Amino acid sequence: MHRISRRSVSTILRHGSRYRNTAAPISCCSPHPGSVVGETDTKVRWHSVLASGKCNPVKSTTQFTLKNGLYFGNRYESTAAASDTSSATPPVEKYEYQAEVSRLMDLIVNSLYSNKEVFLRELISNASDALDKLRFLSVTDPELLKGGGDLDIRIQSDKDNGIINITDSGIGMTREELVDCLGTIAQSGTSKFLKALKDSKDAGGDNNLIGQFGVGFYSAFLVADRVVVSTKSPKSDKQYIWQGEANASSYTIQEETDPEKILPRGTRLTLYLKRDDKGFAHPERIQKLVKNYSQFVSFPIYTWQEKGYTKEVEVDEDPAESKKDEQDDKTEKKKKTKTVVEKYWDWDLTNETQPIWLRNPKEVTTEDYNEFYKKTFNEYLDPLASSHFTNRGTYDFPLVITKGEVEFRSILYVPAVAPMGKDDMINPKTKNIRLHVKRVFISDDFDGELFPRYLSFVKGVVDSNDLPLNVSREILQESRIVRIMRKRLVRKAFDMILGISMSENREDYEKFWENFGKHLKLGCIEDRENHKRLAPLLRFFSSQSEDVMISLDEYVENMKPEQKDIYYIAADSVTSASNTPFLERLLQKELEVLYLVDPIDEVAITNLKSYKDKNFIDISKEDLDLGDKNEEKEKEIKQEYGQTCDWIKKRLGDKVASVQISNRLSTSPCVLVSGKFGWSANMERLMKAQTVGDTSSLEYMRGRRVFEINPEHPIIKNLNAASRINPDDADAMRAIDLLYDAALVSSGFTPENPAELGGKIYEMMGLALSGKWSTPVAEVQDVQYQGTQQHNNDVPVEAEVVEPVEAGSQK
């Protein structure tokens, strides 16, 4: 059920005459009673259905057809001089375009514009330019504003016939300006005007609002077969009509003589849409396009919309019920009514919202920012942070002697949650940044021109006065202005994220890191220029903080005085990292180690290299220096175990690059470390999972492996003795092989033959457990025999009587 808003009712009551004069001449309406039909000198007034009350509003929607040209009624009350119907019609002048039209249409359709719906944006921007120009000139010549009404833009359409009418009350054009501006490809009247202002030393004012009326006009041919421009300049007493068709090499200009179509001032564009594009003439689609592209144009934009209001009407009673009521005199008669919706057509102000980024940040509340964020980006949660700023500065352009000023306004937001799917880090086209030029929406389809891929989660609005309205992908990629804007926007985004990290509420940044932490790690890989801004925002678990993530600043603050480097270990989980043998000596020395448990962590840290002059050191790589070297002791140990190291290396062969004495173990007998410049065990595991069976590059990048032994462990001491006494002992050889395989697993590598490793473990288990819980076989047999004898002694035996037999007798 539709109701009239209070604003609409009050507007109709206060400005009823204006709305009647600006309404379209719907066919069921008639001229004002004060006019005399047939008179040549008449004052024509047209009514909206609501104002006149003389038409059936339902029928009016079906009778709204305009076939012979598009005339939607006078926007203002106009009085025309008496016309002589017998006089000849002014001649139609035909002109040739100053450039090949086929090339123009190809340029418009295939190069400048990839989306047809931008035609309305371009034409509204041209209308806004005309209004801006009039407002600027009226400062020195107030007579230009007289008799022309308010400065606004009105759009009216006929969806049945595919016709759109765009009318503005701007500066208009004379006949010469029509030829000069619309007859020449990409010729701009306002650009000439702007150039004249810049050349004049005495010129002043806000001239950066004036855009270009040239190429943008021809965007009408994206959707229209024929375009009619009717324009009236306050500098001329005559109104002229420009007509052009798509794929034509000429256009016509003639004087307007119809008194009903005379404009007080301004321009009316009539678009006759192509068959496939008539859907653009639907009033609801017109309104949607205006709100999407031209919501923040500084002049009011009215669209002709069907509205409705509710009212109570009497219902005819049933004769039977009426007779029954008459018989019962005591019953109080009550008229029956029902609620109906009366429909009518009227102007609707479409761009009511004022751009929030043009306001002073001190005057905008947090609630205002949050409301704008939710409405613009269809979000339901408040953002974690926002940044509203205006960039004004002078920049040195490379290869250019002069300097240029770049000014733009922006509001940026950090969302509270990541979008569904979490694929924004892979696909940068997130439509999160809406670019406006002079408050006109241009595009939200970017591929890293305004923000790098890793900051694609940041949402916001950017408004620039320096970019052209017809921004193309090539302009964005090559424009110095865009590069300056990008640099400034990235810095503001980092400041905003840093503000969240420094907030008293630690949960806010924990929530941010959970959703967007991987994006910042990707930034460490892709954006070397901003490493100093990215590093303080990173968070990791550590050997001293396995439940709560810490920052690199917190790590540096907790470092030992003698500690020179930042230590880390990469693993697939916190549990795996905390149980790795590489940590043993560092935990004894109370040195904190970062746990890199995310697949992207190790690559990010490798690209950072250092933080605050502290190098990142992987404790799983060779040549680990813990700062406690004792050269004399190391020399003694190498002399004692040198033969053992060579013996083990001979047994392992090419499986390892060398066998060395370890300074990182305390309880484990051995460990397998990676080469200094090769992949770590964690990186090797990740790369194997990504090669999809292609292992050709693994052998090259895997690098060397070093087998380190702990001389304090009993197993190594026994092997040292075996290497001297019996180096060919089979059990010693099996022990070396099993040590290597165990070191593979404990160090994070994947065994090449897991089944063989299992067999070795079972064999060693058999040797270790042999006879531990079982009784030898001889003892078991003896126990069984003794038990049998005891059993036989306990059971009574019957005696057998044997009769004596004589010797030599036979029986």
Side-chain angles (χ1 to χ4, degrees):
M1 183 178 295
H2 302 280
R3 297 182 181 274
I4 304 178
S5 64
R6 295 181 179 178
R7 178 172 183 173
S8 299
V9 174
S10 61
T11 305
I12 292 170
L13 293 177
R14 292 198 310 269
H15 307 290
S17 60
R18 180 190 175 203
Y19 277 80
R20 287 194 294 271
N21 296 334
T22 58
I26 302 175
S27 58
C28 67
C29 294
S30 59
H32 192 271
S35 62
V36 180
V37 179
E39 291 184 358
T40 57
D41 189 3
T42 178
K43 196 174 201 179
V44 180
R45 294 188 180 182
W46 294 97
H47 308 254
S48 70
V49 176
L50 180 63
S52 64
K54 295 182 180 181
C55 305
N56 187 336
V58 178
K59 291 183 180 180
S60 66
T61 59
T62 59
Q63 296 177 357
F64 181 57
T65 56
L66 300 169
K67 298 180 180 178
N68 300 324
L70 182 62
Y71 171 59
F72 290 81
N74 292 334
R75 293 179 59 260
Y76 306 97
E77 210 170 80
S78 62
T79 303
S83 61
D84 186 1
T85 57
S86 62
S87 61
T89 304
V92 177
E93 301 178 10
K94 188 175 181 179
Y95 296 86
E96 294 291 331
Y97 285 109
Q98 295 183 15
E100 188 180 352
V101 176
S102 59
R103 293 181 59 190
L104 166 69
M105 297 309 163
D106 181 70
L107 176 69
I108 293 295
V109 176
N110 299 320
S111 298
L112 287 180
Y113 304 100
S114 59
N115 188 4
K116 282 187 175 183
E117 64 185 22
V118 301
F119 82 94
L120 190 61
R121 179 198 76 186
E122 295 294 318
L123 298 181
I124 291 176
S125 298
N126 287 342
S128 176
D129 289 340
L131 292 166
D132 265 323
K133 186 174 180 180
L134 175 64
R135 184 173 60 179
F136 187 87
L137 294 175
S138 65
V139 176
T140 56
D141 189 2
E143 295 294 328
L144 296 176
L145 293 175
K146 289 187 178 180
D150 297 334
L151 301 180
D152 58 20
I153 303 169
R154 294 178 183 266
I155 307 173
Q156 202 168 20
S157 62
D158 178 2
K159 63 180 180 181
D160 296 327
N161 296 299
I163 304 173
I164 298 177
N165 176 280
I166 304 171
T167 308
D168 68 78
S169 56
I171 191 62
M173 288 178 282
T174 62
R175 177 186 170 281
E176 291 76 14
E177 290 172 338
L178 272 177
V179 176
D180 194 24
C181 295
L182 302 188
T184 303
I185 305 307
Q187 177 68 24
S188 173
T190 48
S191 66
K192 286 185 177 181
F193 175 73
L194 180 59
K195 185 176 184 300
L197 286 179
K198 290 183 177 180
D199 294 340
S200 175
K201 296 181 179 180
D202 300 331
D206 191 11
N207 55 16
N208 61 351
L209 296 177
I210 299 171
Q212 298 205 356
F213 190 91
V215 177
F217 165 75
Y218 295 101
S219 64
F221 290 102
L222 285 170
V223 296
D225 284 323
R226 183 163 64 97
V227 177
V228 178
V229 180
S230 183
T231 181
K232 171 69 168 60
S233 172
K235 301 177 183 179
S236 174
D237 297 333
K238 296 180 180 181
Q239 180 171 323
Y240 293 94
I241 302 174
W242 182 98
Q243 293 192 52
E245 295 183 1
N247 301 322
S249 61
S250 62
Y251 60 93
T252 62
I253 295 178
Q254 69 180 112
E255 182 182 344
E256 178 64 80
T257 58
D258 190 345
E260 295 181 349
K261 298 182 180 180
I262 295 297
L263 297 171
R265 182 193 65 234
T267 303
R268 178 171 60 236
L269 273 69
T270 304
L271 278 62
Y272 296 88
L273 302 181
K274 302 175 183 177
R275 179 182 300 177
D276 297 337
D277 297 318
K278 288 187 177 181
F280 285 108
H282 198 286
E284 292 183 358
R285 189 167 187 185
I286 291 288
Q287 190 177 54
K288 182 180 178 180
L289 292 178
V290 172
K291 288 184 176 180
N292 185 38
Y293 288 100
S294 305
Q295 177 76 4
F296 305 110
V297 171
S298 56
F299 297 97
I301 302 174
Y302 295 93
T303 56
W304 188 247
Q305 300 292 330
E306 185 180 27
K307 300 183 179 182
Y309 68 97
T310 58
K311 70 175 183 179
E312 299 289 333
V313 297
E314 294 183 6
V315 180
D316 295 336
E317 296 183 1
D318 188 11
E321 294 182 0
S322 178
K323 186 176 181 181
K324 183 179 179 181
D325 292 340
E326 291 177 358
Q327 292 176 356
D328 191 2
D329 297 335
K330 296 181 180 180
T331 304
E332 183 180 356
K333 293 182 180 180
K334 196 172 185 180
K335 294 182 179 181
K336 292 185 177 181
T337 61
K338 67 176 181 179
T339 302
V340 297
V341 178
E342 289 286 349
K343 294 184 178 180
Y344 66 98
W345 289 83
D346 206 348
W347 293 111
D348 182 67
L349 181 60
T350 306
N351 63 333
E352 291 181 304
T353 304
Q354 294 298 322
I356 190 174
W357 59 82
L358 294 182
R359 298 165 57 184
N360 188 342
K362 297 180 180 179
E363 300 175 356
V364 185
T365 63
T366 303
E367 290 74 16
D368 294 334
Y369 287 126
N370 294 346
E371 182 181 357
F372 176 76
Y373 168 75
K374 293 177 181 178
K375 183 178 180 180
T376 305
F377 299 101
N378 296 321
E379 294 284 349
Y380 62 94
L381 294 176
D382 292 337
L384 288 177
S386 63
S387 177
H388 181 188
F389 65 95
T390 299
N391 182 82
R392 294 187 182 92
T394 302
Y395 298 87
D396 292 318
F397 291 105
L399 305 179
V400 179
I401 300 177
T402 60
K403 295 184 178 181
E405 293 185 359
V406 176
E407 178 179 351
F408 64 92
R409 293 176 172 85
S410 178
I411 299 180
L412 301 179
Y413 296 95
V414 174
V417 295
M420 297 298 293
K422 297 184 178 180
D423 60 347
D424 291 348
M425 190 167 63
I426 301 174
N427 180 17
K429 295 184 179 181
T430 57
K431 297 185 180 295
N432 287 342
I433 300 298
R434 295 175 59 88
L435 175 63
H436 291 71
V437 175
K438 302 169 187 174
R439 300 173 301 282
V440 177
F441 173 65
I442 299 300
S443 177
D444 58 2
D445 185 12
F446 301 108
D447 190 10
E449 288 85 4
L450 289 178
F451 265 96
R453 181 172 67 152
Y454 67 91
L455 288 178
S456 59
F457 61 89
V458 176
K459 299 184 177 183
V461 176
V462 181
D463 185 12
S464 172
N465 290 333
D466 300 317
L467 290 173
L469 286 176
N470 52 342
V471 177
S472 64
R473 181 56 49 82
E474 290 76 15
I475 292 176
L476 288 176
Q477 291 175 347
E478 298 176 4
S479 173
R480 296 186 181 93
I481 297 175
V482 173
R483 291 199 293 269
I484 294 171
M485 290 172 58
R486 173 191 167 106
K487 190 174 182 179
R488 182 64 172 167
L489 290 171
V490 170
R491 288 184 180 179
K492 281 295 181 180
F494 279 127
D495 292 343
M496 189 167 46
I497 299 172
L498 184 62
I500 302 176
S501 67
M502 298 176 64
S503 173
E504 296 180 357
N505 188 359
R506 192 183 182 99
E507 295 180 358
D508 288 344
Y509 196 74
E510 291 177 356
K511 185 187 301 183
F512 167 83
W513 184 256
E514 180 181 356
N515 288 292
F516 308 111
K518 292 182 180 179
H519 290 73
L520 299 186
K521 296 172 186 176
L522 179 63
C524 296
I525 302 172
E526 295 185 343
D527 192 356
R528 295 182 180 275
E529 294 181 359
N530 287 302
H531 276 178
K532 291 184 178 180
R533 295 184 176 89
L534 282 163
L537 304 175
L538 302 179
R539 297 293 184 271
F540 303 98
F541 293 109
S542 73
S543 57
Q544 298 180 8
S545 179
E546 296 184 0
D547 298 325
V548 180
M549 286 187 167
I550 64 170
S551 65
L552 295 179
D553 288 326
E554 292 174 317
Y555 181 96
V556 173
E557 290 177 1
N558 296 330
M559 287 176 61
K560 297 290 183 180
E562 67 277 6
Q563 185 177 347
K564 299 178 180 180
D565 302 313
I566 300 176
Y567 301 111
Y568 70 88
I569 180 68
D572 57 353
S573 66
V574 174
T575 303
S576 299
S578 59
N579 292 311
T580 182
F582 298 105
L583 282 175
E584 293 175 357
R585 183 61 62 85
L586 285 91
L587 293 180
Q588 282 186 351
K589 297 174 65 66
E590 296 183 352
L591 296 176
E592 190 171 13
V593 180
L594 296 177
Y595 293 163
L596 310 187
V597 296
D598 200 64
I600 199 175
D601 285 352
E602 186 174 0
V603 184
I605 289 296
T606 304
N607 278 270
L608 281 181
K609 295 183 180 179
S610 64
Y611 180 70
K612 292 186 176 179
D613 298 329
K614 308 288 185 181
N615 294 325
F616 289 102
I617 300 298
D618 186 353
I619 63 173
S620 67
K621 297 291 185 72
E622 64 176 332
D623 296 335
L624 177 65
D625 183 10
L626 299 180
D628 58 349
K629 284 188 176 182
N630 188 335
E631 295 182 358
E632 294 183 0
K633 185 177 180 180
E634 288 182 0
K635 186 176 181 180
E636 293 177 1
I637 295 176
K638 286 182 179 180
Q639 289 179 353
E640 182 180 356
Y641 285 88
Q643 181 180 346
T644 304
C645 292
D646 296 338
W647 177 58
I648 296 175
K649 174 63 174 69
K650 183 179 179 181
R651 174 62 182 177
L652 295 179
D654 294 336
K655 293 181 180 179
V656 297
S658 63
V659 179
Q660 300 177 3
I661 305 299
S662 177
N663 65 340
R664 73 186 86 207
L665 298 175
S666 60
T667 58
S668 298
C670 59
V671 71
L672 197 64
V673 303
S674 303
K676 191 172 184 180
F677 302 103
W679 282 340
S680 66
N682 180 70
M683 183 59 65
E684 185 176 325
R685 175 177 57 84
L686 294 176
M687 296 307 296
K688 279 184 178 180
Q690 295 180 16
T691 53
V692 196
D694 182 13
T695 59
S696 58
S697 62
L698 291 179
E699 293 298 326
Y700 173 75
M701 291 300 299
R702 185 171 61 179
R704 50 181 282 166
R705 295 175 180 174
V706 177
F707 190 67
E708 293 188 357
I709 59 176
N710 179 12
E712 304 296 330
H713 198 277
I715 294 178
I716 303 301
K717 290 181 178 180
N718 288 331
L719 289 177
N720 185 37
S723 66
R724 298 177 183 276
I725 299 174
N726 190 3
D728 298 327
D729 184 74
D731 292 338
M733 296 294 103
R734 287 198 296 269
I736 293 175
D737 293 341
L738 188 59
L739 273 178
Y740 173 78
D741 291 335
L744 270 177
V745 177
S746 63
S747 302
F749 295 97
T750 303
E752 297 178 359
N753 192 342
E756 182 180 355
L757 172 60
K760 293 178 181 178
I761 295 175
Y762 299 151
E763 181 183 359
M764 297 299 292
M765 289 177 63
L767 294 175
L769 301 178
S770 177
K772 186 172 184 179
W773 297 289
S774 60
T775 307
V777 177
E779 295 180 2
V780 173
Q781 293 178 349
D782 184 57
V783 171
Q784 290 177 349
Y785 174 77
Q786 292 178 0
T788 303
Q789 288 296 104
Q790 183 179 1
H791 177 73
N792 293 335
N793 293 335
D794 294 340
V795 178
V797 180
E798 295 183 359
E800 182 181 356
V801 178
V802 180
E803 295 180 358
V805 178
E806 293 181 1
S809 63
Q810 297 180 354
K811 186 174 179 178

